[in-house]
Amino acid sequence: MKKQIIIYILLLLVGGVIGYFIHSSSSSNEETSDKKASSENQIWTCSMHPQIRQPEAGDCPICGMDLIPLKNEDEQGNPMAVRMSPTAIQLADIQTAKVGNSEAIKTISLNGKIQPDERKIFTQSTHIEGRVEKLNVNFTGEYIRKGTPIAYIYSPKLLTAQQELFEAQKIKDTQPQLFQAAKEKLKTWKLTESQINQLLESGKTIEEFPILADVSGYVIEKMVNLGDYVRQGEGMYKVASLSQVWVLFDVYESELAWIKKGDKVKYSVASLPSREFEGTISFIDPFIDPKTRVAKARVVESNPNLLLKPEMFVSGEVKATLYTKKNTEEIVIPKTSVMWTGKRSVVYVRETSEKGIDFVMREVKLGLSLGESYIVEEGLKEGEEIAVNGTFSIDAAAQLAGKPSMMNGMETEEMNTHDHNATEKVENPVKKINIGKAAKNSLQPLYAAYFELKNALVKDDLKTAKSSSEKLKMALKNIDMSVFKGESHTLYMAYYSNINNQLEHFTHLENIEKARQKFQGISEAMVAMSKSFEPLENVIYVQFCPMADNNKGANWLSQEKNIKNPYFGKAMLTCGEVSLEIK
């Protein structure tokens, strides 16, 4: 019995060992098979260019970085949302803020000049007909004081009138009316009572008679020269009092809705960097200049110390408030939260649940620009939380996960709207407008100067970039705005204003990084103008670098398809892609 029991136990042990090895071998084969299948289905992508998808590891064809495996997202409740962990949010420097109502205030930058107060400009005329024998005031800018002689005139008529006065003086006792008439005749030439009495006392005629200044001020125009023959009432000088001056600011058509009489303006003068002035807009021109397409906003400034001189350039700011029919506060969001796809403007809304943090792309309808923010007309409600920084990182994560994103070509697909109950087709907000041949021709120097500036930044050449910015500014100034008609004129003025603002002080920039920041703003306006007007005969390419502007991404225009990055130059020359061709 003991031997049988031992034999049974040995048989059981042997059977168990054999079974274990058979099961282990089967599991190993299955695992190997699963890994092989998984490896065959693995997709590789680029962390900086998530549109790249390849079946095997390698280098990114755009930037040359190593490809990484594309990971599958966990199951999520909302198929349109992209889930991110708190750690990923922190590493991507994603910041969010709650949407709230606020007053629609826009800070508008204005440029202008100091000009004399037109109400204090006088014409100094001569009241005597004759030849100019002597000039006491010989150049523009000279100060004259009221009552002092400014010129001497030889006048045959005045000589005759003096002789008549002397003859009438002899018979004044018998014919006082004749004597009085002779005196009144001299007074018509603006001779004073004291001057006439001096003549009578001396008994001698004056051949060169003095012209006395009627007002005090600075000569702004000299209208006569020595030896000129002047008629009675003819102007000799234009004189301006500079104790009070006008500060005239240029207001573009697109900004006229914001600027109102009574608005406060803070401004500075380049020659007085330590001083800041403040004034009130007292008048806005009722007419638009047909060439510059601007209206003048006037600030009257007291100038007792003559610090402000005519033709000085001034730069100012107005914090303007938009008054609407609703007379209520508006929903305002920062510009950094908005992503432009060329066919829609979208934001990422944060949704927090028990499963984690999700970001959902949502289309919004934007209203007026407030400088660094936008008014939102549709798409968001007060209290919702949106991403205000790191939106490109969210978009890249969405594309990696195969979710709706800015760059994955979903313009024609339907996307969830803000109420999550309906879908709508995305429409292109960039309106294409046909402009005439004259308008297109006028834009050619502008584009030539822009491409020259872009090429200078590609070569990391700050000196040439500054020179090109001056050419761009001159080309912008020389465009005849009257060739843009109707809607195209309104659009062009908006582009003009944006480009002009970016070009201000470009030549004074200290380093190429600041020049590239300015170039980004210029490029945004140039890209929008190119989409609207299609002004060039040859194809131009809208190119995009996702790493520019602190990984927020930035566009630029190029005449060639090959990427030459102006935002990084030689450091990352080929980083970018062609996002659009404009023919």
Side-chain angles (χ1 to χ4, degrees):
M1 287 293 293
K2 288 182 179 180
K3 289 182 180 180
Q4 289 180 352
I5 292 172
I6 292 171
I7 292 171
Y8 289 146
I9 292 173
L10 289 174
L11 289 173
L12 287 172
L13 288 173
V14 172
V17 171
I18 294 172
Y20 170 78
F21 280 111
I22 293 173
H23 177 73
S24 178
S25 176
S26 176
S27 298
S28 177
N29 291 336
E30 290 177 5
E31 185 177 349
T32 302
S33 177
D34 290 344
K35 285 184 177 180
K36 185 176 180 181
S38 176
S39 177
E40 291 176 353
N41 295 328
Q42 179 65 60
I43 301 297
W44 296 78
T45 186
C46 175
S47 59
M48 297 313 303
H49 301 91
Q51 70 273 23
I52 300 299
R53 303 291 177 93
Q54 293 187 2
E56 56 186 16
D59 295 334
C60 174
I62 296 177
C63 65
M65 293 178 65
D66 291 338
L67 297 181
I68 60 174
L70 179 63
K71 297 180 180 179
N72 293 324
E73 288 280 315
D74 295 332
E75 290 295 324
Q76 301 182 82
N78 188 347
M80 306 296 287
V82 55
R83 179 160 296 167
M84 299 187 72
S85 66
T87 303
I89 292 173
Q90 185 176 5
L91 290 174
D93 193 24
I94 296 170
Q95 300 173 15
T96 61
K98 287 192 176 182
V99 175
N101 290 332
S102 63
E103 196 173 11
I105 297 177
K106 179 179 182 179
T107 300
I108 298 176
S109 298
L110 299 174
N111 297 305
K113 286 183 180 181
I114 306 291
Q115 295 292 349
D117 188 334
E118 291 180 3
R119 298 167 297 184
K120 294 185 176 294
I121 297 177
F122 310 93
T123 299
Q124 174 68 56
S125 60
T126 173
H127 307 292
I128 302 171
E129 182 177 340
R131 185 176 66 251
V132 178
E133 293 293 323
K134 184 179 180 181
L135 286 175
N136 289 346
V137 179
N138 293 295
F139 53 85
T140 301
E142 193 169 354
Y143 183 78
I144 61 175
R145 192 176 301 279
K146 182 178 180 180
T148 58
I150 57 175
Y152 289 87
I153 292 180
Y154 170 78
S155 174
K157 290 184 178 180
L158 187 57
L159 283 174
T160 301
Q162 292 178 75
Q163 292 170 356
E164 291 175 354
L165 177 65
F166 295 147
E167 293 298 325
Q169 184 184 22
K170 298 176 183 178
I171 57 173
K172 69 176 181 178
D173 294 333
T174 57
Q175 296 187 19
Q177 295 87 354
L178 184 61
F179 177 65
Q180 189 63 33
K183 291 174 65 176
E184 293 297 328
K185 185 175 182 180
L186 290 173
K187 287 181 179 180
T188 60
W189 283 311
K190 292 290 182 178
L191 268 70
T192 64
E193 189 72 34
S194 63
Q195 286 177 314
I196 294 173
N197 291 335
Q198 288 176 5
L199 282 173
L200 293 173
E201 290 175 5
S202 66
K204 296 179 180 179
T205 58
I206 300 176
E207 292 186 358
E208 295 180 358
F209 215 86
I211 303 298
L212 305 181
D214 295 330
V215 294
S216 297
Y218 291 89
V219 175
I220 60 174
E221 185 180 355
K222 178 171 171 279
M223 304 163 71
V224 295
N225 293 304
L226 194 65
D228 287 351
Y229 191 90
V230 292
R231 293 182 174 83
Q232 185 177 2
E234 186 174 343
M236 299 181 68
Y237 303 96
K238 280 190 177 179
V239 182
S241 172
L242 300 181
S243 60
Q244 183 172 284
V245 294
W246 285 353
V247 186
L248 299 180
F249 291 100
D250 293 334
V251 183
Y252 296 101
E253 282 184 89
S254 58
E255 296 171 343
L256 277 174
W258 293 92
I259 304 297
K260 300 174 293 299
K261 183 178 177 180
D263 283 346
K264 298 290 183 181
V265 184
K266 290 185 178 180
Y267 63 94
S268 60
V269 183
S271 61
L272 302 168
S274 61
R275 290 285 302 272
E276 185 177 69
F277 300 86
E278 185 172 355
T280 303
I281 294 177
S282 60
F283 181 79
I284 299 175
D285 280 352
F287 305 106
I288 299 292
D289 189 303
K291 292 184 178 180
T292 61
R293 308 307 302 173
V294 298
K296 299 289 185 182
R298 180 195 307 164
V299 173
V300 180
E301 187 67 55
S302 179
N303 190 33
N305 298 323
L306 303 181
L307 293 175
L308 302 177
K309 305 183 187 305
E311 297 301 323
M312 276 185 170
F313 284 104
V314 296
S315 300
E317 283 188 350
V318 177
K319 291 191 179 297
T321 303
L322 179 67
Y323 292 96
T324 61
K325 293 181 180 179
K326 300 177 184 178
N327 198 25
T328 58
E329 293 183 335
E330 305 282 349
I331 290 180
V332 177
I333 61 174
K335 281 189 173 180
T336 55
S337 65
V338 181
M339 300 185 74
W340 296 89
T341 69
K343 293 198 173 184
R344 62 180 184 267
S345 52
V346 296
V347 298
Y348 275 101
V349 181
R350 173 172 172 159
E351 296 180 351
T352 305
S353 64
E354 296 178 355
K355 295 182 179 180
I357 300 172
D358 295 339
F359 288 93
V360 182
M361 176 184 282
R362 184 178 304 171
E363 183 179 358
V364 292
K365 182 179 179 182
L366 300 178
L368 292 172
S369 170
L370 304 179
E372 295 301 319
S373 55
Y374 287 112
I375 294 175
V376 178
E377 295 183 354
E378 294 179 9
L380 287 173
K381 296 178 181 179
E382 184 180 5
E384 290 186 302
E385 192 171 358
I386 61 172
V388 296
N389 189 58
T391 51
F392 177 78
S393 299
I394 301 173
D395 195 78
Q399 188 176 12
L400 284 169
K403 303 296 177 68
S405 71
M406 181 185 71
M407 298 182 297
N408 62 3
M410 299 187 68
E411 290 84 2
T412 58
E413 295 184 15
E414 295 180 342
M415 61 180 291
N416 285 352
T417 57
H418 56 275
D419 58 8
H420 302 288
N421 294 320
T423 58
E424 60 182 40
K425 289 275 187 177
V426 178
E427 297 180 356
N428 188 349
V430 178
K431 189 169 185 179
K432 291 186 178 180
I433 297 177
N434 290 325
I435 58 175
K437 186 175 181 180
K440 289 185 177 181
N441 290 339
S442 69
L443 291 174
Q444 303 308 306
L446 184 70
Y447 277 84
Y450 169 83
F451 289 128
E452 185 177 317
L453 173 59
K454 187 265 294 184
N455 292 333
L457 295 176
V458 167
K459 298 175 182 178
D460 301 322
D461 188 345
L462 180 59
K463 184 178 179 181
T464 303
K466 289 182 178 181
S467 174
S468 301
S469 74
E470 284 296 298
K471 293 180 182 179
L472 185 61
K473 193 171 185 179
M474 185 59 65
L476 190 68
K477 182 180 179 181
N478 291 336
I479 290 176
D480 183 2
M481 301 181 187
S482 63
V483 299
F484 294 92
K485 309 294 184 182
E487 288 183 292
S488 67
H489 178 76
T490 303
L491 266 180
Y492 174 75
M493 287 310 302
Y495 302 143
Y496 174 93
S497 177
N498 290 337
I499 296 171
N500 191 58
N501 288 340
Q502 294 297 329
L503 287 171
E504 286 295 327
H505 310 299
F506 196 105
T507 54
H508 303 297
L509 297 176
E510 300 173 355
N511 55 61
I512 200 164
E513 295 306 321
K514 292 183 178 180
R516 282 168 171 152
Q517 291 174 8
K518 292 282 188 181
F519 177 74
Q520 182 182 344
I522 295 169
S523 294
E524 288 176 2
M526 292 292 292
V527 169
M529 182 163 59
S530 302
K531 291 178 180 179
S532 296
F533 296 158
E534 298 180 349
L536 302 183
E537 292 184 0
N538 297 327
V539 177
I540 51 176
Y541 302 93
V542 180
Q543 296 177 339
F544 178 79
C545 173
M547 297 181 69
D549 193 20
N550 293 324
N551 292 326
K552 297 174 187 174
N555 293 301
W556 73 92
L557 291 176
S558 178
Q559 292 175 295
E560 54 184 338
K561 196 169 186 179
N562 293 335
I563 300 296
K564 292 183 179 179
N565 193 319
Y567 296 115
F568 292 100
K570 296 177 182 178
M572 296 182 67
L573 185 62
T574 59
C575 180
E577 62 180 337
V578 175
S579 59
L580 183 66
E581 293 185 10
I582 301 176
K583 300 180 180 180

